[in-house]
Amino acid sequence: MPNKPQIKIPATYMRGGTSKGVFFRLQDLPEAAQTPGEARDKLLLRVIGSPDPYQKQIDGMGGATSSTSKTVILAEPTQPGHDVDYLFGQVSIDKPFVDWSGNCGNLTAAVGAFAINSGFVGKDRIPENGTCTVRIWQANIRKTIVAHIPITNGEVQETGDFELDGVTFPAAEVQVEFMDPADGEGSMFPTGNLVDDLEVPGVGTLKATMINAGIPTIFVNAEDIGYKGTELQDDINSDPKALARFESIRAHGAVQMGLIQNIEEAANRQHTPKVAFVAKPADYVSSSGKSIGAGDVDVLVRALSMGKLHHAMMGTAAVAIATASAVPGTLVNLAAGGGDRTHVTFGHPSGTLRVGAEAKEVDGQWTATKAIMSRSARVLMEGWVRVPGDRF
């Protein structure tokens, strides 16, 4: 029986913030993959090069890290007052599944530009020079995101002098606003507490702040788990026992947050929740060799994504950090010095990031109204991806 030839699918490979992903328009996907389900997941897995027992993704577009094993599908808006629907798929590297449970905040910075370039934004809304406001419906979490895209001579401006720690080269600044980032279906603090006792077998009972803003995130104190908060990737990722402990913390926290019914379910929900540890400011040297002083930051944060310490910070986790810092009494707020704040500058393995957030307490319940940060984005390649035809 002859093998089927490869099929060509229009796609764009983009960097957004400190992540990279393959972007598609929904109408360009094969018909079987235009609706959620097995066909779509199989397609995206093959595009990225997963599952790969070697964990290299050599036969695909993925980069063998959580930051580079990502896919985005944009479609006509389903909600009034929006320009585009944005659906994010986090592709597992070594397992055959795509996690649709959360957003990618970093790639959000690229969604606005892709929406403009792909015709989702009306030409009458794109200035000749200035800023185009793109109204994005984030379909995974059902939230509005507003991206402010710089325009020069009627086209997206990608080059510039904005520097983002974790990204080697400067680019144009893209301001992203996450509107009402807390979980609209439940409490921003799912347990009802700003700080909980989280019992983790083999680890102990940890103080934890569990928040759902931007993305569900579990924060613990660095010192409670034997760290300083100045660690870089190799300090954590080269230690299998440490990674197993963090996964256990994540799984038990997910149960306590009501995201899963039992810890076994965590294996099929790798993208959410995130787990992070915080510490008071201290001097350290970033992964690029840049010296970060204690006076340069309000708090230190290290976060894990897809089972590994992130090389910088996930955009959605940055929203969680900023929101938690704005609520007096959370572990993030206390590590940052306590009190009221509307922004936070935190240190991560690649450097620092400043994020603004607004939170308020109404009838005893905390909620976030907005979080805002600056990122950058750039088209790396555009054309077609090819996938073996036996997938369809």
Side-chain angles (χ1 to χ4, degrees):
M1 179 178 175
N3 292 321
K4 294 182 179 179
Q6 294 205 97
I7 60 173
K8 294 167 55 177
I9 305 171
T12 301
Y13 195 43
M14 295 192 73
R15 177 186 65 78
T18 56
S19 293
K20 292 190 293 187
V22 184
F23 284 61
F24 300 94
R25 298 191 311 170
L26 179 65
Q27 64 262 40
D28 293 332
L29 295 177
E31 185 175 356
Q34 290 186 17
T35 54
E38 183 180 7
R40 175 182 289 179
D41 287 3
K42 284 184 175 180
L43 169 68
L44 298 181
L45 283 161
R46 195 66 179 89
V47 166
I48 294 298
S50 295
D52 183 1
Y54 304 107
Q55 299 191 43
K56 302 297 182 185
Q57 293 178 326
I58 294 298
D59 200 24
M61 298 294 292
T65 69
S66 67
S67 302
T68 56
S69 189
K70 298 174 180 284
T71 56
V72 170
I73 301 172
L74 262 60
E76 294 294 332
T78 57
Q79 305 298 313
H82 292 73
D83 297 302
V84 69
D85 275 18
Y86 156 40
L87 187 66
F88 168 68
Q90 178 74 53
V91 180
S92 176
I93 295 172
D94 59 347
K95 297 180 177 62
F97 75 91
V98 182
D99 195 329
W100 301 99
S101 66
N103 178 32
C104 176
N106 274 299
L107 287 187
T108 300
V111 168
F114 185 74
I116 293 171
N117 293 336
S118 300
F120 290 104
V121 181
K123 292 187 180 299
D124 60 328
R125 300 235 350 273
I126 305 172
E128 184 64 17
N129 292 284
T131 302
C132 180
T133 299
V134 182
R135 300 160 300 191
I136 301 163
W137 179 251
Q138 214 302 319
N140 302 75
I141 59 174
R142 302 188 61 78
K143 292 290 182 179
T144 297
I145 301 173
V146 179
H148 301 277
I149 309 299
I151 304 293
T152 301
N153 297 328
E155 297 184 350
V156 173
Q157 172 67 40
E158 296 180 303
T159 58
D161 57 7
F162 174 72
E163 295 186 352
L164 178 64
D165 286 340
V167 177
T168 305
F169 304 107
E173 182 176 3
V174 175
Q175 195 174 75
V176 182
E177 297 178 84
F178 298 82
M179 311 304 295
D180 185 27
D183 184 357
E185 298 181 357
S187 173
M188 190 165 80
F189 297 97
T191 66
N193 303 313
L194 302 184
V195 179
D196 281 281
D197 287 329
L198 177 61
E199 295 184 10
V200 184
V203 178
T205 300
L206 304 173
K207 295 296 183 183
T209 288
M210 292 177 274
I211 188 171
N212 194 348
I215 201 165
T217 306
I218 303 159
F219 293 102
V220 298
N221 288 320
E223 62 180 1
D224 291 347
I225 52 175
Y227 293 114
K228 297 178 180 179
T230 58
E231 287 76 14
L232 303 183
Q233 274 193 299
D234 285 349
D235 297 324
I236 305 296
N237 294 344
S238 62
D239 185 348
K241 291 183 179 179
L243 295 177
R245 285 195 298 272
F246 279 116
E247 179 58 20
S248 185
I249 293 171
R250 194 184 75 88
H252 284 84
V255 172
Q256 197 154 330
M257 293 178 78
L259 298 174
I260 57 178
Q261 296 300 310
N262 55 71
I263 59 171
E264 288 75 21
E265 293 179 26
N268 292 320
R269 189 182 173 125
Q270 292 186 342
H271 184 52
T272 58
K274 303 300 185 188
V275 60
F277 55 99
V278 300
K280 294 179 179 179
D283 298 339
Y284 70 99
V285 178
S286 75
S287 56
S288 68
K290 178 181 177 181
S291 294
I292 309 296
D296 298 331
V297 297
D298 301 307
V299 63
L300 300 177
V301 190
R302 302 297 190 260
L304 284 84
S305 179
M306 302 294 285
K308 297 289 181 69
L309 187 73
H310 196 276
H311 74 101
M313 185 56 63
M314 306 79 81
T316 48
V319 172
I321 293 165
T323 305
S325 76
V327 178
T330 69
L331 295 186
V332 182
N333 174 268
L334 294 173
D340 298 322
R341 60 175 62 246
T342 56
H343 65 269
V344 65
T345 299
F346 61 84
H348 56 75
S350 294
T352 67
L353 181 64
R354 177 185 170 98
V355 186
E358 299 173 5
K360 61 181 180 180
E361 187 176 18
V362 179
D363 297 328
Q365 293 285 331
W366 281 96
T367 186
T369 55
K370 181 168 65 174
I372 185 168
M373 72 179 78
S374 288
R375 315 303 271 169
S376 62
R378 187 170 75 85
V379 172
L380 303 178
M381 183 179 289
E382 53 192 347
W384 299 270
V385 292
R386 296 191 180 227
V387 178
D390 58 5
R391 288 277 152 170
F392 297 95

